[in-house]
């Protein structure tokens, strides 16, 4: 289950999810008119952020990996194989996934970054872990 989505910038409003069906809607107010659209409110961007944190391809200059988002880091809190963890992927380092939380029992364990001390996966190993955890894909 995905529990939340957040970012390292104050302008980003964190999103919390609850068990069951969660629906992302653009809010309509009493002052909204027929001319007010629901475009540009972040619904698709939220899906893009989740996809990004779960290992989507991230070619430079496309999607979230664009100059205006340089310095941004996105975090998804998720339960994988019974362990609730936070995984963070930075726009500037899209091949690096920082994991915080208990990874006991996982078939892949994060490496420890020698400079920062953070527990990290590269893209390939992160995808292997997700395949195993979410879909039962055997590790090759």
């Amino acid at each position: 289950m995905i529990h939340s989505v957040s970012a390292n910038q104050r302008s980003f409003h964190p999103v919390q999810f609850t068990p069951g069906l969660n629906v992302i809607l653009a809010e309509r107010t009493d002052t909204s008119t027929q001319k007010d659209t629901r475009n540009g409110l972040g619904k698709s961007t939220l899906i893009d952020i989740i996809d990004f944190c779960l290992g989507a391809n991230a070619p430079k200059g496309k999607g979230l990996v664009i100059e205006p988002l340089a310095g941004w880091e996105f975090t998804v809190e998720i339960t994988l194989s019974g362990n609730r963890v936070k995984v963070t992927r930075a726009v500037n380092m899209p091949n690096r996934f920082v994991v915080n939380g208990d990874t006991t029992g996982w078939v892949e364990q994060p490496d420890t970054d020698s400079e920062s001390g953070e527990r990290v996966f590269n893209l390939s190993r992160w995808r292997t872990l997700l395949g195993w955890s979410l879909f039962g894909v055997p590790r090759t």
Side-chain angles (χ1 to χ4, degrees):
M1 176 182 157
I2 296 173
H3 303 281
S4 67
V5 177
S6 59
N8 66 335
Q9 304 293 321
R10 287 181 171 260
S11 60
F12 185 89
H13 300 287
V15 177
Q16 302 290 323
F17 296 101
T18 58
L21 177 67
N22 289 261
V23 179
I24 306 299
L25 298 172
E27 195 170 332
R28 185 175 178 91
T29 67
D30 291 337
T31 59
S32 297
T33 69
Q34 286 296 102
K35 292 183 180 182
D36 291 321
T37 71
R38 304 301 168 260
N39 297 331
L41 297 176
K43 300 177 303 293
S44 295
T45 302
L46 177 62
I47 300 302
D48 290 343
I49 292 168
I50 293 169
D51 192 35
F52 180 72
C53 289
L54 295 181
N57 289 331
K60 190 172 184 175
K62 297 192 183 227
L64 298 175
V65 187
I66 56 174
E67 188 59 36
L69 293 179
W72 281 68
E73 297 177 0
F74 297 101
T75 301
V76 169
E77 187 171 2
I78 187 170
T79 297
L80 296 173
S81 297
N83 297 352
R84 189 167 173 163
V85 297
K86 290 183 178 182
V87 60
T88 301
R89 189 178 188 190
V91 169
N92 295 356
M93 293 188 291
N95 192 43
R96 186 174 189 265
F97 295 78
V98 178
V99 175
N100 289 298
D102 183 16
T103 60
T104 303
W106 287 7
V107 295
E108 292 280 337
Q109 289 298 314
D111 296 320
T112 301
D113 183 291
S114 59
E115 292 180 22
S116 68
E118 294 172 314
R119 298 169 60 220
V120 299
F121 284 100
N122 67 24
L123 178 59
S124 175
R125 292 185 60 235
W126 179 242
R127 286 177 174 171
T128 297
L129 174 72
L130 289 177
W132 168 80
S133 178
L134 299 174
F135 304 108
V137 176
R139 194 171 100 191
T140 56

